[in-house]
Amino acid sequence: MINCLVIDDEPLARECIIDYVQKVDFLNFCGAATNPTQIHALSIKQPIDLLFLDIQMPELSGLDYLKNTTKRPLVILTTAYPSYALEGFELDVLDYLVKPITFKRFYKAATKAQDYYQ
């Protein structure tokens, strides 16, 4: 099982990703937050292997979090902004999902994470 966190400030987007995580048998939903500053506290409770991370958030953007964090789980960016893809991949993200995210595209990213994790 791959332990996952979902970080997104938009309630509907967050709930959609949580729902998708719970539908995939090799993913284990471990928590959600509205801000990347909450990642550390959530990861203390349980080791996190995969982070579904939004880019545009009020207090700290997903990209700023990635730029300032060296030790982190695998990351799949989830955003409404396709223009940040290159910058995301330069920060070694595993995949880049553009909202609205279909389950088919989500599952493709999740299996990529599973392959990488194994």
Side-chain angles (χ1 to χ4, degrees):
M1 293 290 276
I2 300 172
N3 292 334
C4 305
L5 277 182
V6 177
I7 310 298
D8 197 315
D9 63 319
E10 298 173 30
L12 290 176
R14 188 174 56 250
E15 290 304 316
C16 176
I17 296 167
I18 291 168
D19 181 55
Y20 287 171
V21 167
Q22 292 174 333
K23 287 180 179 178
V24 178
D25 63 353
F26 57 84
L27 298 179
N28 180 39
F29 175 68
C30 294
T34 59
N35 191 306
T37 59
Q38 299 165 308
I39 294 170
H40 179 72
L42 290 168
S43 64
I44 289 173
K45 297 175 185 174
Q46 185 170 15
I48 301 303
D49 306 308
L50 178 61
L51 186 61
F52 291 94
L53 181 65
D54 187 21
I55 291 180
Q56 293 291 327
M57 290 178 279
E59 292 181 35
L60 180 68
S61 79
L63 292 177
D64 287 338
Y65 168 79
L66 293 173
K67 289 175 187 175
N68 293 301
T69 307
T70 54
K71 188 177 179 181
R72 61 178 182 254
L74 297 173
V75 175
I76 295 176
L77 289 174
T78 59
T79 183
Y81 303 97
S83 58
Y84 293 106
L86 179 60
E87 188 174 1
F89 284 114
E90 288 175 348
L91 294 167
D92 297 322
V93 300
L94 185 64
D95 209 336
Y96 193 94
L97 301 176
V98 178
K99 297 172 187 173
I101 302 165
T102 65
F103 181 75
K104 181 179 177 181
R105 181 64 181 91
F106 177 88
Y107 191 76
K108 181 178 180 181
T111 56
K112 185 187 289 189
Q114 182 187 38
D115 291 344
Y116 192 87
Y117 184 73
Q118 290 176 344

